[in-house]
Amino acid sequence: MIKIKFLVVGNLKEEYLRKMSDEYLKRLSKFASINIIEFKELELPKDLNEINIQKHLEKEDEPIIKSIKNEDYLVLLDLHGKSVSSEAFADIISGAIKTLRGNLIIAIGGTLGISKALLNRANFRLKISDLTFTHQFCRVIALEQLYRAFKINNHEAYHH
C-alpha cells in the first residue's frame, strides 16, 4: 500500500474541520496509508517586513524540509503553483506513484506562506484556487482531492 505523508504547519483547531479531515482519512485508507505530521505554527513577527517574513518562513519550514528525503516526491500547496483539474491532479498522483522510490508527501505551509528552500524542493507546486483559504481548510481540500484522485485512477464512481 502506498504511503503518503502530509507535512503541515499547525493543527486543525475547529471541530468541523477535524471531522471532515477524519472522514477523508477514513475513505483514503482503502487506497493508501496516510500519516499527518503537524509542525508548530510559529508566532507571527510583530513587524511584517520582508526580512522578518523570510526569517519566519525559514524557521517555520525547517522541520518540514528535514522530514523530506531525497527520494520522496513532494507536492507542495502554493498560491503561486500550477492550477490543475481534478483529472490532471489524478494523473500527477498516478505518475508520482509509478516512479516513487520514497514517500509521496503533500506539504502545506503556514499563514505567511512557504520558504524559498521548501519551494525549491517541491517536485510539483499545486495551486488549489485563485481564492484564498486558511491553511487548515486547505488540508481538508487536499485530502478530498487526493481521495478524488484515487477514485478517478481506480475508475470508481465519485467524480462526474
Side-chain angles (χ1 to χ4, degrees):
M1 183 173 279
I2 183 74
K3 292 182 180 180
I4 301 174
K5 289 183 184 179
F6 273 71
L7 304 178
V8 300
V9 173
N11 57 15
L12 296 178
K13 296 171 180 77
E14 291 83 9
E15 172 131 4
Y16 71 94
L17 291 176
R18 286 193 301 273
K19 285 182 178 181
M20 292 170 71
S21 175
D22 289 346
E23 176 61 28
Y24 285 108
L25 287 170
K26 183 174 82 175
R27 292 180 186 193
L28 279 161
S29 68
K30 173 182 174 183
F31 304 106
S33 170
I34 310 283
N35 184 16
I36 297 179
I37 302 168
E38 297 176 338
F39 296 93
K40 184 177 180 177
E41 188 169 10
L42 302 179
E43 186 175 326
L44 297 178
K46 290 182 183 15
D47 182 5
L48 289 175
N49 64 49
E50 188 62 32
I51 293 170
N52 287 343
I53 290 171
Q54 288 307 314
K55 286 180 184 176
H56 174 87
L57 293 175
E58 288 168 12
K59 189 172 181 183
E60 197 166 62
D61 288 350
E62 184 179 358
I64 293 175
I65 293 168
K66 287 181 178 178
S67 300
I68 302 169
K69 298 178 181 149
N70 287 340
E71 63 271 13
D72 293 337
Y73 187 93
L74 174 60
V75 175
L76 179 65
L77 273 61
D78 176 15
L79 289 172
H80 307 290
K82 185 174 181 184
S83 182
V84 296
S85 67
S86 294
E87 295 87 354
F89 183 62
D91 287 343
I92 291 163
I93 295 300
S94 177
I97 289 170
K98 285 177 186 170
T99 61
L100 199 59
R101 295 186 335 261
N103 291 306
L104 176 59
I105 295 181
I106 298 174
I108 305 171
T111 300
L112 294 181
I114 304 156
S115 68
K116 290 177 183 168
L118 192 52
L119 286 170
N120 290 335
R121 172 53 185 88
N123 296 92
F124 185 78
R125 294 168 47 193
L126 175 66
K127 178 179 184 175
I128 289 209
S129 172
D130 285 334
L131 300 171
T132 302
F133 300 109
T134 65
H135 53 285
Q136 291 95 353
F137 196 64
C138 284
R139 183 193 314 190
V140 174
I141 294 170
L143 285 166
E144 191 279 337
Q145 285 298 302
L146 185 61
Y147 174 67
R148 186 178 297 271
F150 276 106
K151 294 293 273 188
I152 291 169
N153 289 337
N154 285 282
H155 311 288
E156 296 180 15
Y158 179 72
H159 182 74
H160 303 284

